[in-house]
Amino acid sequence: MSATEPLATGTLLRIDGRGAGSEELADPAALDALLAGLARRLEDRGDASPVRIEEADGSSHALPLDEAWLTLHAFPELGRYAFAAFSRHALGDAELYDAVATALRTGGAEASVRRRAADLPREADALARRLAGERAWARTRLAPLTALDGD
């Protein structure tokens, strides 16, 4: 993708999972291994290594590939996660959904499939910023609302 092509065409699968196993979500190394395994399915890449950000409430992972990418934001205390996979080629979205749901012992989920997505940046600082921004958005969607002060 180039600067003049802000969106790529392909298949984007997004999953917002709830009721997931907190033990699975609390193990960043296992989540890295999950993404690496999924990368082998998408591009037959055994050398893929995710980028990880760890925070007090969980971890975020990104794995840019040649013609695909994967992201995962885990919130173990909530039993929730946000997963996304994009490929410029056909993507077995039902198979991928099942692999993620099974690995994370998902109780329920909302999933969507789209045909266009912004690519992940390759430069480390830009990728870290994008991952942090997506994590904040995922936290907003997935974290239950707390009572407002003063009401």
Side-chain angles (χ1 to χ4, degrees):
M1 181 179 331
S2 69
T4 59
E5 182 189 2
L7 295 176
T9 301
T11 304
L12 171 65
L13 169 66
R14 289 195 180 277
I15 305 170
D16 282 351
R18 62 187 179 283
S22 59
E23 194 172 303
E24 288 78 2
L25 292 177
D27 185 350
L31 297 175
D32 283 345
L34 171 62
L35 290 189
L38 296 173
R40 284 189 291 279
R41 292 181 184 203
L42 292 178
E43 290 192 359
D44 196 23
R45 296 262 315 260
D47 63 340
S49 180
V51 172
R52 180 192 321 162
I53 296 173
E54 294 185 45
E55 294 194 13
D57 64 345
S59 59
S60 290
H61 311 257
L63 184 51
L65 301 165
D66 293 333
E67 296 191 4
W69 54 259
L70 301 159
T71 62
L72 176 62
H73 306 284
F75 302 92
E77 289 183 14
L78 301 174
R80 296 180 180 229
Y81 66 87
F83 171 83
F86 175 77
S87 176
R88 288 177 177 80
H89 302 286
L91 180 66
D93 50 6
E95 179 184 335
L96 200 55
Y97 175 92
D98 288 341
V100 172
T102 300
L104 300 179
R105 294 189 309 120
T106 305
E110 293 181 18
S112 66
V113 177
R114 295 187 180 167
R115 298 294 168 221
R116 294 181 62 98
D119 208 357
L120 287 181
R122 301 293 173 156
E123 194 271 323
D125 288 342
L127 180 57
R129 282 191 306 276
R130 166 91 174 266
L131 201 54
E134 286 188 5
R135 180 174 183 77
W137 174 236
R139 184 184 296 116
T140 300
R141 287 193 325 273
L142 298 174
L145 293 175
T146 57
L148 297 175
D149 292 339
D151 286 340

